[in-house]
């Protein structure tokens, strides 16, 4: 496992107001840019946190316009190329080492479970040379456990993105920052 990136997102990160959300307007460009940087032409991507409304659907449509993508969530969907999967459970054997890119955007911190086990479940689906691309809110993410697993501290920043300083501010999330994590297998 190679840690390509492990840091707090900042106001210097790319912003896209297509995604009218304080954090997603930074997280989605971060994920897309990471795919382009680390995997030039992915054959198949698994988006494990696509959601069902608003900006989630806009991002799903953007991914689908660019790549061959399977989307999963814990709820059933009638959208094409979607399936039910709970990130707390290991993937099926036929999904191990299958995907060029596995994505999980701002979901881990919402799950009351061991976040390292979740990351290991996600990473197990990445094929050799592929990446796991994750964003997570802090506080919320079990950062101490994740840092122990990675044997690395998250790269700190002075101008960390939060709900107040976002280009699309939302005072409700002024206490949250966003961490980006890119792992290569």
């Amino acid at each position: 496992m190679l840690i390509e990136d492990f840091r707090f997102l900042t106001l210097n990160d790319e912003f896209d107001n297509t995604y009218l959300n304080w954090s997603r307007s930074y997280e989605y460009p971060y994920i897309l840019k990471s795919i382009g940087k680390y995997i030039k032409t992915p054959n198949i991507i698994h988006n494990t946190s696509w959601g069902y409304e608003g900006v989630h659907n806009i991002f799903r449509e953007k991914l689908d316009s660019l790549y061959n993508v399977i989307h999963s969530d814990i709820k059933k969907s009638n959208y094409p190329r979607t399936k039910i999967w709970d990130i707390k459970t290991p993937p099926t054997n036929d999904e191990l080492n299958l995907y060029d890119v596995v994505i999980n955007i701002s979901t881990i911190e919402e799950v009351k479970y061991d976040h390292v086990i979740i990351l290991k479940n996600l990473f197990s689906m990445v094929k050799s040379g592929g990446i796991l691309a994750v964003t997570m809110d802090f506080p919320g993410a079990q950062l101490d456990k994740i840092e122990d697993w990675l044997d690395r501290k998250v790269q700190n920043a002075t101008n960390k993105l939060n709900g107040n300083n976002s280009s699309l501010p939302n005072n409700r999330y002024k206490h949250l920052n966003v961490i980006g994590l890119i792992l290569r297998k």
Side-chain angles (χ1 to χ4, degrees), residues 1-9 13 30-31 33-40 100-102 123 126-134 136 146 149-155 179-185:
M1 174 172 61
L2 175 64
I3 303 168
E4 296 284 6
D5 197 28
F6 184 39
R7 65 181 177 84
F8 283 98
L9 298 190
D13 281 293
Y30 172 78
I31 295 296
K33 187 175 183 177
S34 295
I35 293 169
K37 180 177 181 179
Y38 298 111
I39 307 293
K40 299 303 179 205
D100 296 291
V101 180
V102 175
F123 194 63
V126 177
K127 71 181 183 183
S128 181
I131 62 167
L132 171 62
V134 174
M136 52 195 140
I146 294 167
W149 175 58
L150 296 174
D151 195 27
R152 181 181 293 181
K153 294 285 187 194
V154 66
Q155 182 182 340
I179 295 170
L181 174 63
I182 308 294
L183 299 177
R184 181 182 298 277
K185 189 177 272 186

Side-chain angles (χ1 to χ4, degrees), residues 86-177:
D86 182 344
I87 60 176
K88 295 182 298 192
T89 62
T92 60
N93 285 340
D94 60 332
E95 285 194 294
L96 295 174
N97 304 303
L98 178 65
Y99 300 101
D100 296 291
V101 180
V102 175
I103 298 169
N104 190 278
I105 301 169
S106 206
T107 300
I108 291 172
E109 70 273 8
E110 302 290 336
V111 181
K112 291 175 178 35
Y113 197 69
D114 186 314
H115 294 172
V116 170
I117 291 174
I118 291 172
L119 288 168
K120 287 178 178 181
N121 288 340
L122 296 169
F123 194 63
S124 71
M125 293 187 290
V126 177
K127 71 181 183 183
S128 181
I131 62 167
L132 171 62
V134 174
T135 64
M136 52 195 140
D137 292 344
F138 181 79
Q142 297 165 356
L143 187 55
D144 289 342
K145 290 177 90 166
I146 294 167
E147 288 175 330
D148 286 347
W149 175 58
L150 296 174
D151 195 27
R152 181 181 293 181
K153 294 285 187 194
V154 66
Q155 182 182 340
N156 211 340
T158 55
N159 60 345
K160 293 182 235 180
L161 172 67
N162 65 55
N164 267 357
N165 66 11
S166 169
S167 294
L168 295 169
N170 186 329
N171 191 39
R172 180 177 176 198
Y173 301 107
K174 65 184 177 187
H175 65 288
L176 292 180
N177 301 118

Side-chain angles (χ1 to χ4, degrees), residues 36-62:
K37 180 177 181 179
Y38 298 111
I39 307 293
K40 299 303 179 205
T41 53
N43 290 321
I44 187 164
I45 293 174
H46 187 177
N47 176 17
T48 65
S49 57
W50 77 272
Y52 289 85
E53 58 192 36
V55 294
H56 305 287
N57 282 332
I58 294 169
F59 185 63
R60 177 187 51 79
E61 290 169 3
K62 176 70 171 181

